[in-house]
Amino acid sequence: MSTPPETVYSAQPIFSPTVSGTEPNPPAAHLSGKPDNPPWGVPSAVLTWFASIAFLFLVPNVCVLPYLVYRYQGLPALTQQELLADKTFVFLLVLSWVPAHLLTLALIWAVATRLGEYSIREVFGFSWSPDFGPWKSAGLAISLFLVAWLIASFFSAKPTDLDQILQSSRATALTLALLAVATAPLVEEMTYRGLLYSALQRLIGRWFAVVIVTSMFAGLHVWQYRQNIGAILSITLLSLVLTMIRARTGRLLPCFIIHLVFNGVQSLVIVFEPYLQALFNLWRHDAGSGVLICIWRNLV
């Protein structure tokens, strides 16, 4: 004797729906794993942000400590300027940003994916928007770099701490240029436009989140560029544009590519600056003979 097939009903959510943006840490049943409804709340994002800053301060200090003990044991305490004059110290300090960035990326992965429960590509939106692709991202990045260069050219400023680091040694400058492309854009975009913006926009709305994230990113760089108002304005502009694009597209990939290309242009300037400077000096010295003739004569 046959029996009718059993009707299957979909399970009802345990928690009743809430209005988006009114609950800082929504229950797991309400989380979609999408960039604008991420599986983390504001407390987790802020704590991760604090941890990323702590890594940048603590890890380098731990890494350079053996060298300081070996090199300066028994000597009076050194000032910041004296330490920055030590080329080996500065190189080790910059190199130690690598483990700091790697620790930050590991923490971001743990928080964003809930230790692998979600796809990091999905929760951050590592995909292209239909109206904002790679060419538009790269073009905007180059335009931003040119605008930043124009802003900086209007302000005369003392050398910043970063300028002193770049001038310390060629090895340090090249290492910093590599980090500016290899790890810094990914770490900063995942932290600010990834964790922080995604959680904040759900709680307080897109535009308040844009203002707060822009201010947090720019504010962290104020001390680094405190001697150069032009650099502060440029980094604020970059932060505003990146966060607005994140709000408009709902994706992190365009922001990452813009940041990557922006830093990449700066890194190319760092790498080729000595050669360009030598070429410029050569041109000034022998401008009457023509640049091409001058270059040819020095090559042969």
Side-chain angles (χ1 to χ4, degrees), residues 32-86:
S32 65
K34 300 298 183 182
D36 289 338
N37 188 26
W40 65 83
V42 173
S44 298
V46 172
L47 287 175
T48 305
W49 174 66
F50 274 119
S52 69
I53 298 173
F55 288 153
L56 284 176
F57 280 97
L58 296 177
V59 174
N61 286 329
V62 171
C63 290
V64 299
L65 185 60
Y67 171 76
L68 291 177
V69 172
Y70 167 77
R71 177 69 176 80
Y72 298 105
Q73 187 176 15
L75 297 177
L78 300 177
T79 64
Q80 179 180 346
Q81 292 301 319
E82 290 173 332
L83 284 175
L84 289 177
D86 186 332

Side-chain angles (χ1 to χ4, degrees), residues 105-126:
L105 288 173
L107 178 61
I108 291 172
W109 175 85
V111 172
T113 68
R114 290 193 169 186
L115 296 176
E117 182 179 347
Y118 293 89
S119 164
I120 197 165
R121 181 177 180 272
E122 294 295 328
V123 296
F124 280 138
F126 272 107

